[in-house]
């Protein structure tokens, strides 16, 4: 957890620093002021456009703000002296905002203001101008996003601006983007064929959806001599996009697989290791999710500043809550039914109904809101992949839980005892292992893990009394498919079912994909009744 | 018997050896024809553990054979192979000299005439003794036949006869669940008889029996052996001696020693691994 | 004089009795509803007829589950799927009978298809305008599904909880499938707004009475069928497979076929129950495929007593009457009660009401036999055997 916290801290630090940078700049602004005052000159739209160009020529990124306000219709001229301001507020008294420093400099009656009018052609100019201005920003990220806007809206007129920017650009990423922007603009200009072919090549290398739409636009505009090159580039980009979508499917599959793994891994212990069919397993997951909800509720009311810590706090609590319910179940009911698997199945189903109804009575039948802490929300881009943080953390978390469990089963004393009891109960008892105690602890462990799965699932699923129901069949499928009594089998089973599901979805749709997977498992179990990684030998049949 | 495998590996194109091989093979085949059970070069392993290792075993028609050997010697696995429960990794298994048993499953092998009694007595506890025997009686095994089955006098007579043989006539209508351990063993043997098999495989028939019961069982088996081939697996050396038949001692999945009980029990290898000094 | 015989003769008497009771109810309830004036103290209100008609269908369903679970030991957690398929087959017939009286007035297409802009009837709806075809499909569709599923499952020796789990997955998959609009079965809403059955209005009192009687008759036939099957050698074979499957295989039977026959027969029975259920409740929707429904059937059977014939019938009626009663005034308690019932039955009444009663009966007989034996009238039943060593 420390590791995760550190990463989050670093991430937050960088992010706030980004926001703080532009505000800190303080330099000579007389040239910019001069240029901005030109916007107030009352000479029609074409003159206004020229005035905008003057602002652009200052190369001062702060000019972008006033231009933005101009496009929004928030820029006014003061009747008295013709000075230009950004104006905010409604009613008779308006706030005057300095166009350069963005500070409020006073208020003024509405009647003393005259709006600087814009039309669509001016707005277009403004957009390009903002692009050009931000190209001069100090922060490379701002420059980069400005260039991206230009790539999305290529304009042959901006070629000069791009050329200037390229000359002084030092950042490699921005340079690349600028070249792409130039290529995009060239494609729409009346440049010579070799230039255009080179531009196509640049765009092709860029890849992605934007490249595709740029190329399609170019193809529609291009003459015969360009068609083949464009078509080839389009095909190439499409092919690469296909690979990305393959990657996207794999990622979605891994993400679903990690959810399945979390839901099933507790079951791999209770069913796989102990041979107990716990139909209330899904309800253990649900209890974990509701524990998270409770923790967040308490934090919201008592310690609002600590909301980000709710998940780390909920994890051990959920383990304890679900684990102790599991412990009670084992002692109270399951203990009496060993050796009668079908009866165990029915009794635990009964318990699942009782647990569901209890939660429904206490918390109500509707979904409860569990919020994502800051490090679980948002997404980032990896090539063409959009990866949400909560999904990424859940994949990591599932793998961590798996690793810890594997360690617990294979390297700890309790794990050794568990395996001893499952392999030969009487021998284990004869060696002084308290088998009933080990049974209860094993079951509590399996249930507790379902509980922490619930904490993770509360981040991506609706927290309602029916939460567990949705996972129980899938979890059993994973355990049975992977091979009972084998944690690795559960891992492979979860991820292969997750990926299979996501690969079927584009062809068959979500529901039919799920049905196909179920049908496949039903057939698979009949072919290999003991799952993918079955224990072989006569001990199994006995 | 191992040279048979060698023979088959020889290329058929080589003429001179082929001629020699044919006669040798003919010898083998004629020997096989005389057997009721014929296992040759059989091996099977579970997860790397070789339960049966190049086992060769012959049972003549009408013969009774006792098999002894320490735990894990492969006695039960051998029965699993013969009855089709386990497929051998390699080797030949023939019934009646001609039927390749590796190509059939349990019900098919059972209807051919190989009956098996399990180590742990398994009877149908939900049924009476009589019904247990009735279900085992030779006849059609199809579902429709079972649905429309009417019991006739011949079957009644056969059941009565078997009940008499296994000495359970007085318990005809008792639930099998209420039988004593020894009685269950006998009922299971009775069910074997009802099947009218050619070979009976009997796994530890006297485990958990009193001395009187053991003696009685030996007598019962000797009776049965008069018109059946029988393989008995047993640990109880006194019982094996009582049977008075040829003995095979298995060890680590292959035959360690074979012969009369006196020869086998004095074989130093057998003493070493099984009987103890 | 001997327990087994007495028990069987006793049970047979019980079966004749229960057949008589079922048929008497089948005639009396609708008669008291139709013939007596509403004010008469013995008049049976129409809603009771509908309710009891539903219970009779449930009883038949529970009996069919008992055939596979009680006799052959296959705990099917997807038995509701066969019930629902039978119900859908009947529902499709009833939909076709609506004809042009639907909201959209299309003479052929059911309303939901018009709503989805379908131009023509899907092929699998052909023939359902004829009753005989629908009636055949009520049996063929569940039977065929059971046959295919069972063929694969039983031949591969999938048993015990594995089988239970994949039967549950089966009904779950079917539920997901039937929820889809483009499956052509009305999606979420299922099939409803029925008008006629065999030319008579489904709302009419006489039709309801006839359906009620048909349900009772179907249940009686089911009881006859199961008891006849149970008494045959096949019935003994089912018990044998349940108790010692490997043994049946080693004496030459194929337990997979034993199971398959029972599974298919039970599926057909469940299909018939579903077909009788749908016109009485007036709707069939994919919710009937829910795994929870199937597992509820299991508890009816368990409460009554699996492996007996009247047990599941009593269980189905008792549990459902309890459900109707409890949901009437405290619906939130129903799931507590049902859950508690699962736990209590498995822990304290594993043989169910009827099974426990038979055991008690058996115990009484045994005590009497024991006394008689003490007087030297009969051979000992159990214990050490004096004749063993001659």
């Amino acid at each position: 957890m420390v590791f995760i916290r550190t990463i989050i801290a670093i991430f937050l630090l960088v992010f706030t620093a980004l926001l703080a940078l532009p505000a800190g700049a303080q330099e000579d602004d007389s040239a910019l002021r001069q240029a901005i005052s030109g916007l107030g000159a009352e000479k029609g739209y074409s003159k206004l456009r020229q005035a905008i160009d003057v602002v652009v020529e200052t190369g001062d990124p702060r000019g972008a703000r006033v231009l933005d306000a101009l496009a929004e219709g928030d820029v006014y001229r003061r009747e008295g002296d013709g000075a230009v301001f950004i104006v905010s507020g409604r009613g008779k008294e308006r706030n005057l905002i300095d166009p350069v420093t963005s500070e409020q400099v006073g208020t003024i009656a509405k009647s003393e203001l005259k709006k600087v009018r814009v039309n669509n052609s001016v707005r277009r100019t403004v957009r390009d101008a903002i692009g050009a201005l931000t190209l001069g920003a100090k922060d490379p990220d701002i420059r980069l996003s400005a260039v991206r806007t230009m790539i999305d809206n290529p304009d042959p007129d901006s070629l000069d601006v791009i050329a200037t920017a390229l000359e002084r650009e030092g950042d490699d990423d921005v340079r690349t983007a600028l070249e792409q922007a130039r290529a995009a603009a060239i494609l729409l200009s009346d440049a010579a064929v070799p230039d255009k072919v080179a531009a196509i090549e640049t765009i092709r290398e860029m890849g992605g959806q934007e490249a595709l739409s740029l190329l399609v636009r170019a193809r529609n505009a291009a003459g015969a001599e360009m068609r083949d090159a464009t078509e080839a580039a389009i095909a190439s980009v499409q092919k690469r996009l296909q690979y990305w979508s393959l990657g996207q499917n794999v990622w979605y599959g891994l993400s679903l697989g990690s959810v399945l793994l979390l839901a099933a891994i507790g079951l791999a212990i209770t069913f796989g290791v102990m041979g107990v069919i716990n139909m209330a397993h899904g309800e253990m997951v649900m209890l974990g999710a509701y524990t998270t909800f409770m923790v967040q509720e308490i934090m919201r009311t008592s310690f609002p500043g600590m909301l980000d810590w709710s998940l780390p706090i909920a994890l051990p609590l959920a383990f304890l809550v679900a684990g102790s319910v599991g412990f009670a179940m084992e002692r109270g009911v399951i203990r009496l039914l060993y050796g009668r698997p079908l009866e165990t199945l029915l009794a635990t189903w009964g318990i699942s109904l009782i647990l569901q109804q209890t939660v429904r009575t206490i918390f109500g039948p509707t979904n409860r809101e569990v919020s994502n802490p800051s490090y679980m929300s948002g997404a980032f881009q990896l090539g063409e992949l959009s990866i949400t943080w909560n999904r990424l953390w859940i994949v990591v978390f599932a793998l961590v839980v798996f690793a810890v469990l594997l360690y617990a089963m294979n390297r700890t004393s309790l794990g050794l005892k568990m395996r001893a009891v499952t392999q030969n109960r009487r021998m284990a008892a004869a060696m002084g292992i308290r088998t009933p105690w080990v049974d209860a602890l094993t079951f509590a462990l399996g249930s507790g893990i379902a509980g922490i799965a619930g904490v993770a699932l509360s981040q991506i699923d609706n927290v309602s009394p029916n939460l567990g129901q949705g996972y129980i069949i899938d979890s059993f499928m994973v355990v049975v498919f992977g091979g009972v009594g084998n944690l690795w089998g559960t891992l492979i089973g979860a991820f292969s079912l997750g990926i299979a599901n996501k690969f079927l979805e584009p062809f068959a749709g979500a529901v039919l994909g799920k049905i196909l997977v179920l049908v496949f498992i039903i057939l698979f179990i009949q072919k290999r009744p003991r799952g993918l990684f079955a224990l072989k030998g006569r001990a199994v049949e006995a | 018997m191992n040279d048979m495998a060698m023979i088959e590996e020889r290329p058929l194109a080589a003429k001179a050896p082929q001629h020699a091989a044919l006669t040798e093979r003919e010898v083998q085949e004629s020997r096989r024809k005389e057997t009721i059970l014929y296992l040759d070069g059989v091996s099977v392993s579970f997860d790397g553990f070789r339960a049966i290792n190049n086992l060769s075993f012959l049972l003549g028609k009408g013969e009774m054979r006792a098999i002894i050997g320490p735990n894990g010697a492969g006695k039960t696995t051998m029965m699993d192979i013969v009855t089709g429960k386990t497929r051998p990794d390699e080797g030949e298994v023939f019934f009646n000299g001609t039927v390749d048993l590796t190509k059939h499953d349990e019900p098919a092998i059972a209807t051919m005439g190989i009956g098996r009694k399990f180590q742990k007595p398994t009877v149908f506890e939900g049924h009476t003794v009589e019904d247990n025997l009735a279900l085992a009686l030779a006849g059609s095994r199809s579902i429709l036949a079972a649905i429309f089955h009417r019991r006739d006098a011949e079957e009644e007579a056969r059941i009565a006869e078997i009940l008499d043989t296994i000495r359970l006539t007085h318990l005809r209508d008792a639930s099998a669940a209420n039988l004593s351990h020894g009685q269950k063993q006998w009922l299971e043997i009775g069910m074997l008889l009802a099947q009218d098999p050619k070979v009976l495989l009997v796994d530890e028939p006297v485990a958990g029996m009193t001395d009187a019961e053991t003696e009685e069982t030996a007598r019962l088996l000797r009776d049965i052996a008069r018109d059946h081939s029988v393989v008995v697996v047993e640990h109880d050396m006194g019982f094996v001696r009582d049977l008075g038949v040829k003995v095979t001692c298995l060890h680590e999945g292959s035959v360690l020693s074979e012969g009369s009980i006196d020869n086998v029990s004095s074989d130093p290898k057998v003493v070493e691994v099984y009987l103890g000094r | 004089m001997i327990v087994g015989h007495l028990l069987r003769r006793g049970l047979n008497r019980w079966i004749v009795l229960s057949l008589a009771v079922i048929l008497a109810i089948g005639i009396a309830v609708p008669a008291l509803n139709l013939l007596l004036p509403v004010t008469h103290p013995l008049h049976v209100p129409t809603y009771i007829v509908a309710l009891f008609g539903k219970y009779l269908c449930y009883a038949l369903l529970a009996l069919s589950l008992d055939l596979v679970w009680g006799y052959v030991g296959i705990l099917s957690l997807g038995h509701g799927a066969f019930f629902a398929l039978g119900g859908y087959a009947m529902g499709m017939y009833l939909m076709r009978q609506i004809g042009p009286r639907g909201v959209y007035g299309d003479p052929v297409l059911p309303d939901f298809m018009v709503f989805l802009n379908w131009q023509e009837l899907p092929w699998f709806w052909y023939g359902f305008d004829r009753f005989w075809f629908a009636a055949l499909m009520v049996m063929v569709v569940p039977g065929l599904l059971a046959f295919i599923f069972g063929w694969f499952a039983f031949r591969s020796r999938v048993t015990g909880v594995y089988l239970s789990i994949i039967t549950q997955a089966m009904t779950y998959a079917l539920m997901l499938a039937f929820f889809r609009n483009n499956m052509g079965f009305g999606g979420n809403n299922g099939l409803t707004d029925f008008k006629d059955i065999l030319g008579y209005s489904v709302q009419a009192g006489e039709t309801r009475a006839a359906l009620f009687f048909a349900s009772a008759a179907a249940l009686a036939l089911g009881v006859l069928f199961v008891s006849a099957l149970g008494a045959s050698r096949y019935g003994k074979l089912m018990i044998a497979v349940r108790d010692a499957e490997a043994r049946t295989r080693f004496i030459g039977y194929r337990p997979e076929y034993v199971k398959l026959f029972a599974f298919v027969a039970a599926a057909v029975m469940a299909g018939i129950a579903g077909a009788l259920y749908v016109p009485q409740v007036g709707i069939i929707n994919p919710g009937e495929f829910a795994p929870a429904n199937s597992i509820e059937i299991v508890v009816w059977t368990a409460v009554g007593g699996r492996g007996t014939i009247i047990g599941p019938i009593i269980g189905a009626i008792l549990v459902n009457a309890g459900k109707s009663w409890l949901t009437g005034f405290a619906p939130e308690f129903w799931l507590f009660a049902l859950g508690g019932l699962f736990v209590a039955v498995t822990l304290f009444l594993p043989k169910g009401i009827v099974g426990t009663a038979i055991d008690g009966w058996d115990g009484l007989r045994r005590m009497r036999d024991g006394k008689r034996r003490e007087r030297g009238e009969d051979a000992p039943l159990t214990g050490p055997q004096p004749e063993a060593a001659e």
Side-chain angles (χ1 to χ4, degrees), chain A residues 17 45 80 105 111 113 204 258-259 264-265 297 326-327 335 357 361 363 439 508 533:
Chain A
Y45 295 130
V105 289
S111 52
L113 289 173
R204 191 187 66 75
S258 65
V259 169
I265 196 162
E297 264 321 85
F327 186 86
R335 176 172 64 94
Q357 190 57 32
T361 311
F363 295 97
D439 285 335
F533 295 94

Side-chain angles (χ1 to χ4, degrees), chain A residues 288-517:
Chain A
Y290 272 94
T291 309
T292 318
F293 166 72
M294 285 299 290
V295 168
Q296 287 201 349
E297 264 321 85
I298 292 169
M299 296 209 146
R300 230 189 291 278
T301 51
S302 308
F303 315 96
M306 304 252 296
L307 213 54
D308 271 3
W309 286 92
S310 59
L311 295 192
I313 292 172
L315 277 178
L317 284 177
F319 185 86
L320 283 180
V321 169
S324 39
V325 171
F327 186 86
M329 262 175 78
E330 204 278 342
R331 290 285 84 190
V333 176
I334 292 167
R335 176 172 64 94
L336 308 169
L337 296 172
Y338 279 125
R340 290 159 64 193
L342 294 182
E343 272 88 348
T344 314
L345 189 156
L346 295 180
T348 50
W349 177 270
I351 295 173
S352 87
L353 292 183
I354 294 174
L355 286 174
Q356 265 179 52
Q357 190 57 32
T358 309
V359 168
R360 196 172 286 128
T361 311
I362 299 174
F363 295 97
T366 49
N367 292 346
R368 304 312 297 244
E369 168 79 18
V370 171
S371 62
N372 292 352
S374 55
Y375 49 89
M376 293 286 276
S377 38
F380 67 94
Q381 202 72 23
L382 186 77
E384 295 293 313
L385 297 186
S386 169
I387 293 176
T388 53
W389 282 104
N390 57 2
R391 292 283 177 173
L392 180 68
W393 286 130
I394 283 174
V395 173
V396 172
F397 181 67
L399 292 175
V400 168
V401 170
F402 176 79
V404 169
L405 200 60
L406 203 63
Y407 176 82
M409 290 304 289
N410 291 334
R411 293 276 183 276
T412 66
S413 142
L414 178 65
L416 183 67
K417 285 177 184 164
M418 278 178 199
R419 284 178 296 136
V421 170
T422 41
Q423 278 165 27
N424 191 335
R425 172 171 299 271
R426 280 161 68 191
M427 192 62 193
M431 290 175 69
I433 297 173
R434 291 160 68 195
T435 50
W437 187 243
V438 172
D439 285 335
L441 283 187
T442 313
F443 198 80
L445 175 69
S447 305
I449 286 172
I452 59 177
V455 178
L457 296 186
S458 73
Q459 294 296 306
I460 51 169
D461 204 343
N462 296 329
V463 178
S464 79
N466 301 327
L467 172 76
Q469 292 274 292
Y471 288 103
I472 186 71
I473 289 180
D474 287 339
S475 311
F476 269 112
M477 290 297 121
V478 166
V479 176
V480 167
F481 176 69
V484 170
N486 188 328
L487 283 182
W488 285 104
T490 309
L491 180 81
I492 309 282
F495 282 113
S496 38
L497 290 188
I499 291 174
N501 227 322
K502 289 297 170 187
F503 269 88
L504 282 173
E505 264 178 29
F507 310 103
V511 179
L512 203 59
K514 203 172 161 66
I515 295 169
L516 285 177
V517 169

Side-chain angles (χ1 to χ4, degrees), chain A residues 234-312:
Chain A
I234 287 177
S236 150
V237 170
Q238 272 172 339
K239 192 160 186 184
R240 239 188 312 163
L241 273 177
Q242 264 171 11
Y243 285 133
W244 278 113
S245 93
L246 198 74
Q248 185 87 22
N249 279 337
V250 170
W251 165 247
Y252 285 153
L254 286 177
S255 167
L256 177 65
S258 65
V259 169
L260 290 176
L261 178 64
L262 276 173
I265 196 162
L267 207 63
I269 303 245
T270 50
F271 180 48
V273 179
M274 297 179 78
V276 170
I277 316 298
N278 183 13
M279 295 300 270
H281 181 79
E283 276 57 46
M284 301 293 156
V285 176
M286 173 198 73
L287 286 180
Y290 272 94
T291 309
T292 318
F293 166 72
M294 285 299 290
V295 168
Q296 287 201 349
E297 264 321 85
I298 292 169
M299 296 209 146
R300 230 189 291 278
T301 51
S302 308
F303 315 96
M306 304 252 296
L307 213 54
D308 271 3
W309 286 92
S310 59
L311 295 192

Side-chain angles (χ1 to χ4, degrees), chain A residues 343 349-350 357 484 525-526, chain C residues 152 156 162 166 295 306 332:
Chain A
E343 272 88 348
W349 177 270
Q357 190 57 32
V484 170
I525 293 177
Q526 294 170 353
Chain C
F152 283 114
S156 318
Y162 289 88
I166 61 167
I295 209 162
R306 64 185 147 121
E332 66 278 8

